[in-house]
Amino acid sequence: KNQVEQSPQSLIILEGKNCTLQCNYTVSPFSNLRWYKQDTGRGPVSLTIMTFSENTKSNGRYTATLDADTKQSSLHITASQLSDSASYICVVMGGADGLTFGKGTHLIIQP
Amino acid sequence: SQTIHQWPATLVQPVGSPLSLECTVEGTSNPNLYWYRQAAGRGLQLLFYSVGIGQISSEVPQNLSASRPQDRQFILSSKKLLLSDSGFYLCASSTDSNYNEQFFGPGTRLTVL
């Protein structure tokens, strides 16, 4: 069964600090992996999309990595800001299910 | 890029009442359209998807139905709401590109009492 597991489930860090969110998946065959940011009560917004051949991709202070061999991805946030408080969802495209969503990591940035 | 509109933003309905949520898309033509439900503490669950006018595929058996009367309009309906229908409903759109990137609407918060 295709699965996407995210960790940690929730995270609290101080403003200005860095953090890394993890995503492990079992989706096969793999097509691409996306990270979304979802503010409370809003729809998800795409941060990055990576294919099999891409190891790292940045979008401002967000950097995503992908290891297709170990089926792991991470999202690194640098110099966190209060506006980074949100849920971050890892989504993998591939396999019979099409898209498989993780449950998300709830990130809180404290001043 | 695509813009997804959803309304209403919030809705409180009694059990047994009907439901109609609307989604419209701007900035693209012939999109694939999706309805998701997001329950608290859980991932997004795909309810329906549509590849064209009048074409609806259901992912899970449920109390809800979907219709696509126009190319860029997607409607989620129910004849009689259940308590378990409460949740955050998201409409999404994508095109048949390499990434099939999905763009999400702002969502509708439905509470069934």
Side-chain angles (χ1 to χ4, degrees), chain B residues 11 13-19 21 36-39 45 47 61-65 76-89 108-113:
Chain B
L11 189 60
Q13 292 283 96
V15 169
S17 63
L19 173 73
L21 303 182
Y36 291 92
R37 178 169 55 208
Q38 187 176 36
Q45 179 188 33
L47 302 176
Q62 58 198 302
N63 182 42
L64 303 169
S65 62
L76 184 68
S77 304
S78 174
K79 292 182 179 179
K80 289 185 178 181
L81 283 169
L82 307 172
L83 287 175
S84 57
D85 292 325
S86 293
F88 191 54
Y89 288 84
T108 294
R109 171 70 61 189
L110 172 66
T111 303
V112 183
L113 302 175

Side-chain angles (χ1 to χ4, degrees), chain B residues 28-104:
Chain B
T28 187
S29 58
N30 302 314
N32 299 321
L33 298 176
Y34 310 80
W35 277 112
Y36 291 92
R37 178 169 55 208
Q38 187 176 36
R42 306 179 73 173
L44 274 72
Q45 179 188 33
L46 179 62
L47 302 176
F48 301 94
Y49 70 91
S50 171
V51 298
I53 296 174
Q55 302 179 61
I56 308 295
S57 296
S58 174
E59 288 296 299
V60 294
Q62 58 198 302
N63 182 42
L64 303 169
S65 62
S67 62
R68 186 169 177 176
Q70 301 181 40
D71 180 48
R72 288 174 287 179
Q73 183 184 29
F74 205 22
I75 298 172
L76 184 68
S77 304
S78 174
K79 292 182 179 179
K80 289 185 178 181
L81 283 169
L82 307 172
L83 287 175
S84 57
D85 292 325
S86 293
F88 191 54
Y89 288 84
L90 288 160
C91 177
S93 171
S94 71
T95 56
D96 288 333
S97 65
N98 288 336
Y99 288 143
N100 276 304
E101 181 177 5
Q102 285 192 325
F103 296 89
F104 286 85

Side-chain angles (χ1 to χ4, degrees), chain A residues 9 31-32 34 36 38 41-46 49-51 54 57 89 93 99 101-103, chain B residues 34 36 38 41-46 59 88 90 98-107 109:
Chain A
Q9 188 174 27
S31 179
N32 60 65
R34 310 115 180 262
Y36 284 90
Q38 185 177 20
R42 307 290 295 274
V45 175
S46 179
I49 299 178
M50 291 189 292
T51 60
E54 297 174 294
K57 205 163 191 178
I89 303 172
M93 183 174 183
L99 286 176
F101 287 78
K103 294 182 180 180
Chain B
Y34 310 80
Y36 291 92
Q38 187 176 36
R42 306 179 73 173
L44 274 72
Q45 179 188 33
L46 179 62
E59 288 296 299
F88 191 54
L90 288 160
N98 288 336
Y99 288 143
N100 276 304
E101 181 177 5
Q102 285 192 325
F103 296 89
F104 286 85
R109 171 70 61 189

Side-chain angles (χ1 to χ4, degrees), chain A residues 37 61-62 77-86 88 107 109:
Chain A
K37 177 187 178 187
R61 293 180 295 103
Y62 300 101
I77 304 175
T78 304
S80 61
Q81 300 176 359
L82 295 178
S83 60
D84 293 330
S85 294
Y88 291 84
L107 176 64
I109 311 297

